[in-house]
C-alpha cells in the first residue's frame, strides 16, 4: 500500500486557513488532521512531503480542453496536454470533440478513449453533435469543382445537387443530426456532456437548427453550448420554456466562455427564474478575465480567440458576474496552435484559440494575491463547482474519503511565465513574461505524485503516472 | 502570513554558522528563494545599522541593497576615520549607543570575537558580517544557497576545497555546514597549507565525512562542487615555491575536461590567477552567481531576524 504524508500544509475551510497534515492511502485522502500522530497508530509512510509554507488545494478540474488528438498532434496530444495540466495544478480535464475526425460517433469516442490513455491524470470527454447529412454538403463541393472542370455537365450536376438539398430538408431532426449516437454516448461514464457549436470555431461542428437543442434537452444530462451573444436570448428562452414544461428533468444548460457584458446580464436575468434554478450554468476563461481588447491589440494574432476578447467594460462585467455568482465555473478553453499557425501572414488563416492549462491557476492565485479573489473562490470556481456540475464523485474537495487529487501551491512565490519552459507542445502563452504570484509545487493525481517544481533550480519534474477515466 | 512554520530566527543573533541548526539554515534558504525574484516592502519601519570597522565592498553593498530592497533605511559607517572611535570612544560604548538607534546591527570588525561581544552588549539582533579570520556566516549561507540552486540539492554532495585551507575561514565554515547535509568533503591543499588539525578534529567530532589529498587530478572525477580559494604569495618563503604551487592548482577550461561534466566551480572572490578567465563562460562557472545570490540571502536574513517572514 502506498502512503504519502503531506506534512504541515495550509488548508482552507471556507476562507479560513488551518494547519494540517494530510495522509494519502491507496489514492484516497484517508486523514486530515493537525499534527497527525503516525507513530501512535504505527503507520509507516512511503514518502513525506514537507508542505511547510505551502497551501493544499483540491486538484483543479477543467471542463473545457482541446487536446488536439486525433488529427492535430503537431499542436498538442494527450500526453503533453496532461503534462501542461498537472504543471498548472489541474488533475482532471474534459476533452472537446472538435477533432479530425470529430468525436461524434461511438467509434471515434472509442478511438479517443484509447489515445487518451497516455494522459497522466484523470480525464473525460465531451461528445459532439454534427450534421450527419454532411455528405450532401461535400457532394456540393465536388459538384462545384466539376462545374469548373467540365462546363458541359454543368446543368446536370447542379440539378442533382439541388435534388439532394431539397431531400435533406425533408429529413427529421434526428435523421439530420447524430442525435442517436449522442444519446448512446451518455451511457459512457467518461462522457459527461454534449457539446453543441452555435458559433464558428476550430473544426466543423456548426449547428444552425435550434430544434437540435430541444431534442438534446430531452435526452442528455448536460448540454455545453458554444454560442455568441446574438442568438443567446433565443436559446435561453427556449431552455426556459423547456424547464417550465419539464420540471422533473434535470438537464443542465452550460454556456461556454462568456465574453460580454450583454451575455452575463442575460444569463443573470434567466438564472433568476425559479424553474431554471440550478439548471443554467456558465463558464469564463482566464483569457477573458485577465485580458481586454487593449491587451489583445498588443498581442495581435496571438490573442485571436473565439469568442473574441472584448473591451475593458465587458471585462469588468465578467468580474462582477464572478462576484455575484452569475459565473459558476472557470475553464481554460485550452486551444493550442503552433506559433507558425498563429503568425500566419494571411490574417484570414489565423486559427482561433490560445493555450491556457499552465497559467490558469497561477493567474487566479495572482488575483488572490492582488485581492481580487479569495482563495475559497478559486477552489469553488475551478474545482468544487465543476465537480458538482459534472457529478464527479469524490472530487472537488479536500476531504477525508475523497480522491487524493491534490495540488500544493506556494502562494507567495513569484514566477515569470517563460515560453521555452512551458510543457504544452505549442510552447507559447499569451501571458508570457508576466510575473505571477502563486506557483504549483507538487501535484498528486489519485494519490500518485506526478509533478514537482523546484524553486531553487526552476526545474520541473514529471513522474510517469497512469491516468484514469473519470467515473 | 502563509508561512506555517514558526520563524526560528526571529530576534536571534547570527554570529557563527555553528549557531544555526539544519532547520534554521533550510528556513533561511527557502526564504531566500522566495525573495530572490521580488521585493515586498517588509521592513519600511526598520533601521539597519551597518557598522564596517574594516572595508568590504561586496558584503557591505549587498547588505545595503538587501535592506533597501525590503524598504528599510540604513545608517552606519564604512570608514572609522570619520567616527567618534577616532576620538577614542570604546567599542562597547559605540554598540550601546547604536543599539538604541537601530533595529538590527550588521557588524564587520577585524578582531576575532568582536561580533559576539557586540551581541552580548546589544538588545537588538546582531549579524556578523565577518570578524577577522574567525566567522563569516552570511557568506556561508550564500555559498549553501548557490550550491542548492545550481545542484538542485545539498544532501550527499561531494565537495572539494582547493587552495589555502590553513587560513581560509570560508572553507572552515562551509565545510562544517555541509557536514549537516551528509556531504563528502575532500580537502586539496599544497603541503603546509592543509586544514589545521583543530578544524579536522572538530569535523570528526561532528562525524563529517572528509578526506585529504594534495593531488587534484586523483579526485577530479568524484567532485560535484569544487570550491577554490586564493593561495597568498606571502605565505611562501620564496617566490619560486609560490609560482610552482599556484601554477599546479590553476583551474582552466582545459583542466575541467577531466572533471564531471556538471562540476560547479566556486570561489569567494576576489580571484587572481586561481581560475583562468576561460572558465567564466562555461556552465560550470559558479563564482559570479555566488555574488548575485548574496542579495537574496541577505534579504532573507534581515527579514527573518526582524520577524517579518
Amino acid at each position: 500500500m502506498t502512503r504519502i504524508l503531506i506534512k504541515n500544509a495550509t488548508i482552507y475551510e471556507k476562507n479560513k486557513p488551518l494547519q494540517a497534515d494530510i495522509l494519502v492511502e491507496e489514492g484516497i485522502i484517508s486523514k486530515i488532521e493537525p499534527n497527525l500522530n503516525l507513530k501512535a497508530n504505527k503507520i509507516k509512510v512511503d514518502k513525506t512531503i514537507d508542505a511547510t509554507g505551502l497551501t493544499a488545494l483540491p486538484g483543479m478540474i477543467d471542463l473545457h480542453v482541446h487536446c488536439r488528438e486525433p488529427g492535430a498532434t503537431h499542436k498538442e496530444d494527450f500526453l503533453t496536454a496532461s503534462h501542461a495540466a498537472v504543471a498548472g495544478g489541474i488533475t482532471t480535464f474534459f476533452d472537446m470533440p472538435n477533432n479530425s475526425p470529430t468525436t461524434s460517433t461511438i467509434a471515434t469516442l472509442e478511438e479517443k478513449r484509447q489515445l487518451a490513455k497516455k494522459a497522466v491524470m484523470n480525464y473525460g470527454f465531451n461528445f459532439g453533435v454534427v450534421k450527419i447529412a454532411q455528405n450532401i454538403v461535400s457532394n456540393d463541393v465536388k459538384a462545384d469543382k466539376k462545374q469548373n472542370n467540365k462546363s458541359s455537365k454543368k446543368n446536370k450536376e447542379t440539378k442533382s445537387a439541388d435534388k439532394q438539398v431539397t431531400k435533406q430538408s425533408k429529413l427529421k431532426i434526428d435523421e439530420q443530426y447524430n442525435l442517436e449516437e449522442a444519446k448512446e454516448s451518455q451511457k459512457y461514464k467518461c462522457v459527461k456532456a454534449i457539446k453543441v457549436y452555435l458559433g464558428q470555431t476550430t473544426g466543423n461542428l456548426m449547428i444552425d437548427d435550434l430544434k437540435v437543442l430541444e431534442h438534446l434537452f430531452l435526452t442528455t444530462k448536460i448540454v455545453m453550448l458554444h454560442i455568441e451573444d446574438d442568438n443567446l436570448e433565443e436559446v435561453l428562452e427556449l431552455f426556459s420554456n423547456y424547464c417550465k414544461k419539464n420540471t422533473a428533468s434535470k438537464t443542465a444548460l452550460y454556456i461556454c466562455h462568456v465574453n460580454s457584458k450583454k451575455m452575463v446580464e442575460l444569463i443573470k436575468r434567466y438564472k433568476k427564474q425559479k424553474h431554471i434554478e440550478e439548471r443554467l450554468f456558465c463558464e469564463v476563461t482566464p483569457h477573458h478575465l485577465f485580458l481586454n481588447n487593449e491587451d489583445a491589440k498588443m498581442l495581435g494574432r496571438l490573442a485571436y480567440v473565439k469568442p473574441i476578447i472584448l473591451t475593458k467594460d465587458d471585462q469588468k462585467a465578467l468580474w462582477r458576474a464572478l462576484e455575484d455568482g452569475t459565473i459558476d465555473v472557470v475553464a481554460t478553453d485550452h486551444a493550442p496552435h503552433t506559433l507558425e499557425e498563429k503568425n500566419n501572414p494571411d490574417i484570414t488563416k489565423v486559427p482561433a484559440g490560445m493555450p491556457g492549462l499552465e497559467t490558469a491557476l497561477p493567474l487566479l492565485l495572482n488575483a488572490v494575491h492582488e485581492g481580487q479573489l479569495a482563495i475559497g473562490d478559486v477552489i469553488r470556481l475551478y474545482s468544487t463547482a465543476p465537480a458538482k456540475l459534472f457529478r464527479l464523485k469524490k472530487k472537488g474537495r479536500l476531504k477525508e474519503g475523497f480522491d487524493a487529487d491534490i495540488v500544493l501551491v506556494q502562494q507567495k512565490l513569484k514566477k515569470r511565465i517563460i515560453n521555452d519552459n512551458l510543457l504544452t507542445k505549442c510552447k507559447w502563452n499569451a501571458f508570457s513574461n508576466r510575473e505571477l504570484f502563486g506557483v504549483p509545487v507538487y501535484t498528486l493525481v489519485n494519490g500518485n505524485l506526478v509533478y514537482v517544481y523546484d524553486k531553487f533550480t526552476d526545474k520541473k519534474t514529471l513522474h510517469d503516472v497512469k491516468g484514469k477515466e473519470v467515473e | 502570513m502563509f508561512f506555517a512554520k514558526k520563524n526560528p530566527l526571529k530576534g536571534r543573533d547570527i554570529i557563527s554558522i555553528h549557531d544555526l541548526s539544519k532547520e534554521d539554515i533550510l528556513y533561511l534558504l527557502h526564504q531566500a528563494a522566495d525573495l530572490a525574484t521580488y521585493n515586498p516592502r517588509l521592513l519600511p519601519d526598520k533601521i539597519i545599522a551597518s557598522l564596517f570597522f574594516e572595508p568590504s565592498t561586496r558584503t557591505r553593498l549587498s547588505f545595503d541593497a538587501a535592506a533597501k530592497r525590503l524598504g528599510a533605511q540604513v545608517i552606519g559607517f564604512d570608514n572609522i576615520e570619520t567616527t567618534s572611535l577616532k576620538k577614542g570612544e570604546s567599542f562597547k560604548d559605540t554598540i550601546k549607543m547604536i543599539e538604541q538607534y537601530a533595529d538590527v546591527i550588521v557588524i564587520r570588525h577585524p578582531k576575532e570575537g568582536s561580533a559576539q561581544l557586540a551581541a552580548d552588549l546589544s538588545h537588538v539582533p546582531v549579524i556578523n558580517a565577518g570578524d577577522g579570520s574567525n566567522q563569516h556566516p552570511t557568506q556561508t549561507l550564500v555559498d549553501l544557497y548557490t550550491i542548492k540552486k545550481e545542484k538542485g540539492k545539498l544532501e550527499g554532495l561531494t565537495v572539494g576545497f582547493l587552495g589555502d585551507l590553513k587560513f581560509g575561514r570560508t572553507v572552515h565554515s562551509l565545510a562544517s555546514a555541509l557536514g549537516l547535509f551528509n556531504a563528502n568533503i575532500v580537502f586539496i591543499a599544497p603541503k603546509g597549507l592543509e586544514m589545521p588539525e583543530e578544524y579536522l578534529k572538530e569535523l570528526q567530532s561532528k562525524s563529517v565525512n572528509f578526506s585529504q589529498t594534495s593531488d587534484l587530478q586523483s579526485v577530479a572525477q568524484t567532485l560535484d562542487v569544487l570550491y577554490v580559494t586564493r593561495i597568498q604569495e606571502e605565505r611562501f618563503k620564496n617566490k619560486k615555491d609560490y609560482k610552482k604551487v599556484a601554477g599546479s592548482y590553476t583551474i582552466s577550461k582545459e583542466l575541467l575536461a577531466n572533471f564531471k561534466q556538471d562540476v560547479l566551480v566556486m570561489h569567494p572572490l576576489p580571484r587572481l590567477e586561481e581560475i583562468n578567465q576561460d572558465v567564466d563562460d562555461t556552465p560550470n562557472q559558479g563564482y559570479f552567481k555566488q555574488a548575485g545570490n548574496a542579495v537574496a540571502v541577505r534579504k532573507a536574513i534581515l527579514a527573518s531576524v526582524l520577524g517579518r517572514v
Side-chain angles (χ1 to χ4, degrees), chain A residues 66-69 72-87 93 118-121 334 336 357-358 422-427 462:
Chain A
H66 301 270
C67 293
R68 302 291 188 218
E69 194 173 2
T73 49
H74 63 290
K75 301 175 199 260
E76 195 84 285
D77 59 47
F78 275 103
L79 184 68
T80 55
S82 70
H83 283 168
V86 294
F93 63 34
K118 291 198 284 281
V120 297
M121 57 191 295
H334 176 77
L357 287 170
E358 274 155 290
L422 295 171
L423 297 174
T424 171
K425 204 183 268 183
C426 71
K427 294 273 175 202
L462 286 158

Side-chain angles (χ1 to χ4, degrees), chain B residues 241-295:
Chain B
D241 278 358
Y242 164 73
K243 283 268 185 217
K244 197 175 146 205
V245 169
S248 71
Y249 285 159
T250 298
I251 306 299
S252 64
K253 201 170 171 179
E254 192 191 340
L255 189 77
L256 281 182
N258 306 323
F259 285 69
K260 277 191 186 176
Q261 205 184 346
D262 63 346
V263 64
L264 176 68
V265 180
M266 298 175 71
H267 191 292
L269 300 181
R271 75 167 154 175
L272 292 177
E273 280 148 22
E274 311 81 70
I275 303 176
N276 202 316
Q277 294 208 356
D278 65 5
V279 181
D280 296 2
D281 299 325
T282 66
N284 308 89
Q285 179 271 109
Y287 32 96
F288 296 134
K289 290 172 186 160
Q290 281 168 273
N293 293 332
V295 176

Side-chain angles (χ1 to χ4, degrees), chain A residues 121-160:
Chain A
M121 57 191 295
N122 302 301
Y123 54 87
F125 312 99
N126 298 319
F127 197 81
V129 169
V130 289
K131 223 175 206 172
I132 40 179
Q134 254 177 3
N135 55 336
I136 295 166
V137 178
S138 53
N139 274 350
D140 271 342
V141 176
K142 272 183 203 159
D144 282 345
K145 276 183 188 162
K146 278 180 187 168
Q147 270 172 32
N148 294 337
N149 295 342
K150 299 173 184 178
S151 53
S152 60
K153 283 186 181 177
K154 192 181 173 186
N155 287 343
K156 202 178 159 191
E157 289 288 343
T158 321
K159 252 183 208 167
S160 75

Side-chain angles (χ1 to χ4, degrees), chain B residues 164-212:
Chain B
D164 177 1
L165 305 184
K166 193 171 179 183
F167 300 97
R169 71 175 166 200
T170 16
V171 175
H172 306 159
S173 305
L174 184 56
S176 78
L178 281 167
L180 295 172
F181 298 92
N182 303 313
N184 295 305
I185 292 167
V186 186
F187 295 116
I188 310 144
K191 236 184 148 55
L193 294 176
E194 295 102 336
M195 279 289 273
E197 202 55 39
E198 54 190 287
Y199 284 109
L200 295 179
K201 275 196 183 135
E202 193 188 313
L203 292 176
Q204 240 157 12
S205 73
K206 289 179 176 170
S207 38
V208 177
N209 281 326
F210 68 87
S211 58
Q212 293 193 85

Side-chain angles (χ1 to χ4, degrees), chain A residues 12 19 410 455-457, chain B residues 2 4-5 30 34 148-149:
Chain A
Y12 282 86
Q19 291 318 124
Q410 187 166 352
K455 68 182 171 190
F456 286 96
T457 55
Chain B
F2 293 110
K5 193 182 273 180
H30 271 270
D34 293 352
K148 186 155 169 61
K149 192 163 157 56

Side-chain angles (χ1 to χ4, degrees), chain B residues 47-51 94-96 98-100 102-107 118 122-128:
Chain B
I47 292 177
I48 283 126
S50 162
L51 313 184
T94 307
I95 299 299
K96 289 309 275 180
I98 301 242
E99 70 155 341
Q100 299 178 70
D103 302 291
V104 59
I105 296 172
V106 176
I107 185 168
S122 162
H123 289 96
V124 300
V126 172
I127 297 168
N128 184 3

